[in-house]
Amino acid sequence: MRFTKMHGAGNDYVFIDCFSQPVPPNLGELARRMADRHFGVGSDGLILICPSTVADARMWMFNADGSEAEMCGNGIRCLAKYVYEHGICKKTNLRVETVAGIKEVFLEVEEDRVCKARVNMGAPSLAAKDIPTLLTSTSGDPNQPVVEVPLEVSGVEVRITCVSMGNPHAVIFVDELRDDWVVGLGPAIERSRFFPRRTNVEFVQVLSAEEVRMRVWERGAGETLACGTGAAAVCVAGVLTGRTSRVLKVHALGGTLELEWDRALNSVYLAGPAEEVFWGEWLLPW
């Protein structure tokens, strides 16, 4: 089975082209095995590039632990680059079907190579019941946003702003980014009883109204070098808490992502790099 390794700002995935070969069986187990950084290819997850009856392609995604994921902002940009450069669909405006709905990806192309991709991530969901989270706003209404609501985790109180970008996020603003926040509290918050479908966790240091630094504990993958939906959630949370503007640069460990929460359309746009690293043949049993 042929695969391709790609990344967006260091958020790396194994891609399987299911336009040219059949969908393999046991996808959750295959994701765990291929994502293993010692005994497999090594990645944050597995993404299948599939035909779609409603869009130009379909993204089917699994986290490194084998769980299925709804959406990935870095992964979808890489998928769009692959679809264009490998001749599956030679459009610079692509529609990609995901579990979180159809997303539009806009490609910047030079000499028939994609140099940058910008994706319309859609409107954020802010109501507690839509995240979903059992945390509630100060009013206690599950239809209201959860903005800087206190939560005690491992004896530490943090203030969480919840956003769904098709998948759940818990955003926490901190004075400095430390390992004890990310790898200490991240796993506990991911699996907190207040997040029935688990959650991604973003720790954010504000540099200015236009720039932040971010570290991410991803649901099902652990700490990753970047997270597209996480960066989008950070942009939204920054506006909701009055810390940042609607146009924002998010500096992750693997690179910088560009965000805009469009006021008129209520859509979040994410732009950044997408790179194809190598391809190979998976020889182990599926």
Side-chain angles (χ1 to χ4, degrees):
M1 178 182 65
R2 181 168 170 146
F3 68 87
T4 301
K5 176 74 175 286
M6 303 185 75
H7 79 87
N11 193 195
D12 60 338
Y13 292 92
V14 173
F15 288 80
I16 298 175
D17 180 350
C18 295
F19 280 84
S20 61
Q21 55 192 339
V23 175
N26 305 320
L27 290 173
E29 177 61 23
L30 180 64
R32 285 191 292 272
R33 296 178 69 185
M34 296 191 82
D36 191 291
R37 296 191 183 274
H38 299 286
F39 298 101
V41 180
S43 69
D44 293 326
L46 172 69
I47 294 178
L48 280 69
I49 306 170
C50 301
S52 171
T53 59
V54 295
D56 298 309
R58 178 166 70 98
M59 182 173 77
W60 193 0
M61 178 186 171
F62 293 82
N63 295 314
D65 69 352
S67 59
E68 188 172 353
E70 303 92 341
M71 175 56 186
C72 174
N74 291 316
I76 198 171
R77 294 198 325 278
C78 290
L79 180 147
K81 176 184 174 75
Y82 184 99
V83 165
Y84 181 89
E85 292 186 353
H86 289 260
I88 293 172
C89 185
K90 300 294 284 190
K91 295 179 181 177
T92 54
N93 289 5
L94 288 166
R95 287 163 49 84
V96 180
E97 179 186 356
T98 75
V99 175
I102 295 175
K103 307 298 181 184
E104 291 183 289
V105 188
F106 309 93
L107 305 179
E108 293 183 19
V109 178
E110 295 179 0
E111 298 181 352
D112 210 37
R113 304 291 292 180
V114 175
C115 57
K116 191 174 184 179
R118 186 172 191 254
V119 56
N120 181 350
M121 305 284 284
S125 296
L126 301 176
K129 63 182 180 59
D130 295 331
I131 304 299
T133 178
L134 302 181
L135 296 173
T136 57
S137 66
T138 53
S139 69
D141 186 346
N143 293 298
Q144 294 299 312
V146 175
V147 179
E148 300 216 291
V149 170
L151 175 66
E152 186 173 321
V153 182
S154 303
V156 179
E157 184 177 278
V158 293
R159 291 189 172 272
I160 292 179
T161 299
C162 295
V163 179
S164 174
M165 294 303 309
N167 56 355
H169 292 271
V171 180
I172 302 166
F173 292 95
V174 296
D175 292 333
E176 60 178 326
L177 299 177
R178 305 194 312 257
D179 287 346
D180 58 326
W181 287 116
V182 184
V183 299
L185 298 184
I189 297 172
E190 176 198 354
R191 297 182 177 275
S192 165
R193 66 181 181 85
F194 289 99
F195 296 98
R197 285 178 20 211
R198 296 190 290 165
T199 188
N200 302 280
V201 189
E202 286 77 36
F203 297 88
V204 185
Q205 179 185 12
V206 177
L207 304 178
S208 71
E210 291 77 33
E211 288 187 87
V212 300
R213 292 177 60 223
M214 172 187 79
R215 286 178 65 180
V216 183
W217 182 269
E218 276 205 57
R219 178 185 60 169
E223 185 175 15
T224 57
L225 296 186
C227 177
T229 54
V234 166
C235 179
V236 172
V239 174
L240 292 178
T241 60
R243 287 182 169 88
T244 66
S245 67
R246 287 178 174 264
V247 178
L248 186 66
K249 286 185 178 181
V250 177
H251 302 293
L253 294 178
T256 298
L257 300 171
E258 300 169 10
L259 282 301
E260 179 183 2
W261 185 12
D262 186 280
R263 186 186 301 273
L265 299 176
N266 192 32
S267 290
V268 181
Y269 289 85
L270 164 71
E275 301 290 343
E276 183 172 327
V277 184
F278 63 86
W279 63 267
E281 295 283 339
W282 181 256
L283 301 177
L284 295 177
W286 296 357

